[in-house]
Amino acid sequence: MKILVINAGSSSLKYQLFDMTDETVLAKGLCERIGQDGKIKHTAFDGRTYEASYDMPTHSEAFNCLVYALTESDAKVIDSMSEISAVGHRIVQGGYIFSQSTLVDQKVLEDIEMLSELAPLHNKAHAMGIRACLNVLGDKVPQVCVFDTSFHQTMPPKAYIYPVPYEYYEKYKVRRYGFHGTSHRFVSGRAAEFLNKNLADLKMITCHLGNGCSITAIKGGKCIDTSMGFTPLDGIMMGTRSGSLDPSVITYIAEKENISPKEMCDLLNKKSGVLGISKVSNDNRDVSNAAKEGNENAALAIEMQRYQIAKFIGGYVAALNGLDVLVFTGGIGENDPSLREDICQSYLTYLGIKIDREKNLERGKEVEISTADSKVKVLVIPTNEELLIARDTMKIVSAL
Ligand code: AMP
């Protein structure tokens, strides 16, 4: 069975085509600058590439372009789209409606659009991606939505209700939703397989550390708490996002600088976090290099980031009342041995965590970085959200 996985953004459309007989990627690519001039970059499994500029006023033209790349270009991997059994879509916000992956129908599409109130940048784009797919492939090819939020729907109310007047939860569904759920679900499942243990028996903390960062407490395979909240702005500081703050800081700065709510939203989402403190970059590599060269703000940003991650881990050890497995994933989690070592050695030795410095030097690979006598297993598990979307899609369409 061949499954196409789509991740539609407001001006981009990322895709991967999976052959589910062996879960290999046949091709992947990116259409960007949709609504402007339009470009596609496509790579086949054997390294052949196809790059072109196209007029892409909407996601439908981008989808047509992807069809051409897959079926007709020099880097084609299939003869016709009829070889594709189903399409799986990444959807950021499933809100209070979707607690699991779901087959698309008219009502589901309307609900996703309705939920764009909670994720304006993302959900509208996802809905455009689904409609583009419908326009080009018709309704004979089943489409499945996999939500970033659904893994977190098992959180208890004590974890997801914010301590503001309860009526805002009742009226507007203001609550913690959590994000990166597909990644947390993938790496927690993989970690249990890697250790040859039953997920149901494990207390686990998964740290997805990339440009966006979130940490999740998982008990018996179910999320009990997570650091991102009503939006992906909550929790630990990230590349450009502030993470959690005293809300008075926001109103105080807004008044002093005469900043509107929209401008404040921009400031907290795009100009804060590692970028805001370091004044160098949102990219951890640039900031680490600047810190090594003596830039004090860069060093502070790196120090703060690690400290905040460690504090969340400590909080979740309490939430779980123990810890068996700690997992690092995401661009930073998978590739930054210094951050992993610092977090574990400077803040977590009281848990009996011991790191094998040699093994910890590995990057981007599945590896246990704790020593044999460490009381908590510490793993690096590269995430693969697209594969989990393809698996969920296959499961749902196979049952039709
Ligand atoms: P992601 O959003 O998961 O793609 O992760 C992006 C982040 O991963 C950026 O801050 C990068 O600096 C960081 N990253 C990627 N590769 C490395 C590396 N080799 N060492 C340190 N950080 C890395």
Side-chain angles (χ1 to χ4, degrees):
M1 183 183 279
K2 293 190 181 76
I3 289 180
L4 181 63
V5 173
I6 298 282
N7 182 354
S10 50
S11 65
S12 68
L13 198 153
K14 273 194 228 159
Y15 61 92
Q16 286 195 21
L17 179 63
F18 284 88
D19 182 345
M20 295 307 284
T21 42
D22 52 4
E23 294 190 333
T24 49
V25 176
L26 293 174
K28 59 168 101 171
L30 169 67
C31 301
E32 33 184 6
R33 302 177 63 86
I34 299 171
Q36 302 165 54
D37 42 4
K39 273 198 170 91
I40 182 166
K41 283 186 197 151
H42 168 94
T43 310
F45 64 94
D46 53 5
R48 284 173 297 139
T49 57
Y50 169 69
E51 279 190 36
S53 297
Y54 264 96
D55 217 16
M56 291 180 196
T58 72
H59 286 70
S60 283
E61 290 81 14
F63 200 86
N64 273 324
C65 196
L66 156 179
V67 170
Y68 178 83
L70 287 172
T71 59
E72 292 186 57
S73 73
D74 290 343
K76 68 176 252 184
V77 289
I78 50 176
D79 291 323
S80 134
M81 290 302 276
S82 63
E83 289 178 46
I84 292 177
S85 306
V87 181
H89 292 268
R90 177 207 177 201
I91 311 288
V92 164
Q93 182 54 280
Y96 46 91
I97 300 177
F98 297 103
S99 58
Q100 53 197 352
S101 303
T102 307
L103 190 68
V104 174
D105 60 19
Q106 193 52 36
K107 171 84 173 68
V108 168
L109 191 46
E110 282 164 16
D111 282 343
I112 289 168
E113 279 171 333
M114 191 262 289
L115 287 168
S116 63
E117 215 176 66
L118 299 178
L121 291 181
H122 293 105
N123 272 39
K124 275 189 196 144
H126 300 326
M128 286 193 275
I130 296 172
R131 289 196 194 284
C133 221
L134 267 172
N135 288 345
V136 177
L137 299 182
D139 57 6
K140 294 281 178 292
V141 180
Q143 299 193 54
V144 169
C145 291
V146 179
F147 302 90
D148 278 12
T149 47
S150 56
F151 181 62
H152 303 302
Q153 283 290 300
T154 48
M155 278 187 288
K158 68 179 175 188
Y160 70 71
I161 296 290
Y162 286 116
V164 292
Y166 195 72
E167 67 192 83
Y168 299 116
Y169 170 62
E170 293 171 314
K171 273 207 280 197
Y172 307 124
K173 297 282 182 254
V174 171
R175 51 159 285 180
R176 179 183 305 284
Y177 288 105
F179 297 86
H180 288 149
T182 314
S183 175
H184 291 290
R185 180 156 69 99
F186 180 83
V187 298
S188 55
R190 237 347 265 154
E193 279 169 16
F194 181 90
L195 295 168
N196 212 6
K197 294 244 164 84
N198 194 344
L199 190 55
D201 301 331
L202 296 173
K203 292 176 179 175
M204 204 183 287
I205 295 175
T206 50
C207 306
H208 179 111
L209 310 173
N211 205 25
C213 297
S214 67
I215 302 189
T216 295
I218 302 169
K219 198 176 205 167
K222 295 203 160 48
C223 168
I224 63 158
D225 207 345
T226 192
S227 62
M228 282 180 169
F230 179 58
T231 70
L233 182 57
D234 201 1
I236 38 179
M237 64 190 279
M238 311 175 208
T240 58
R241 286 172 249 174
S242 64
S244 310
L245 290 176
D246 176 350
S248 308
V249 169
I250 300 167
T251 47
Y252 187 79
I253 295 175
E255 272 172 26
K256 286 277 177 202
E257 299 269 322
N258 200 15
I259 291 175
S260 70
K262 166 131 192 6
E263 286 165 333
M264 182 50 82
C265 196
D266 240 40
L267 187 148
L268 296 172
N269 273 290
K270 298 186 184 151
K271 298 179 189 155
S272 300
V274 171
L275 171 68
I277 298 299
S278 70
K279 306 183 190 174
V280 171
S281 163
N282 64 313
D283 190 301
N284 258 51
R285 281 166 294 198
D286 301 338
V287 181
S288 295
N289 289 337
K292 279 181 204 139
E293 285 161 13
N295 182 319
E296 287 180 12
N297 274 63
L300 175 63
I302 295 286
E303 212 184 346
M304 284 171 66
Q305 185 188 42
R306 295 171 180 190
Y307 179 61
Q308 294 198 359
I309 294 166
K311 283 206 298 181
F312 258 99
I313 294 172
Y316 287 166
V317 173
L320 290 162
N321 194 16
L323 182 64
D324 300 308
V325 189
L326 175 65
V327 181
F328 289 99
T329 193
I332 301 168
E334 293 167 28
N335 294 297
D336 191 344
S338 147
L339 171 137
R340 297 189 299 241
E341 180 175 333
D342 194 17
I343 288 172
C344 292
Q345 306 282 35
S346 304
Y347 304 104
L348 303 175
T349 49
Y350 75 99
L351 292 172
I353 285 186
K354 289 189 194 160
I355 294 299
D356 181 324
R357 298 188 75 177
E358 200 63 33
K359 286 194 203 153
N360 184 42
L361 293 177
E362 295 279 9
R363 291 170 193 265
K365 267 175 71 177
E366 227 170 58
V367 59
E368 179 179 341
I369 60 169
S370 45
T371 58
D373 62 342
S374 174
K375 295 243 168 51
V376 175
K377 299 277 182 201
V378 186
L379 307 180
V380 175
I381 305 277
T383 195
N384 195 340
E385 294 159 270
E386 293 79 10
L387 177 57
L388 197 52
I389 294 172
R391 284 181 185 161
D392 273 14
T393 303
M394 182 166 90
K395 197 163 158 204
I396 288 176
V397 301
S398 299
L400 290 177

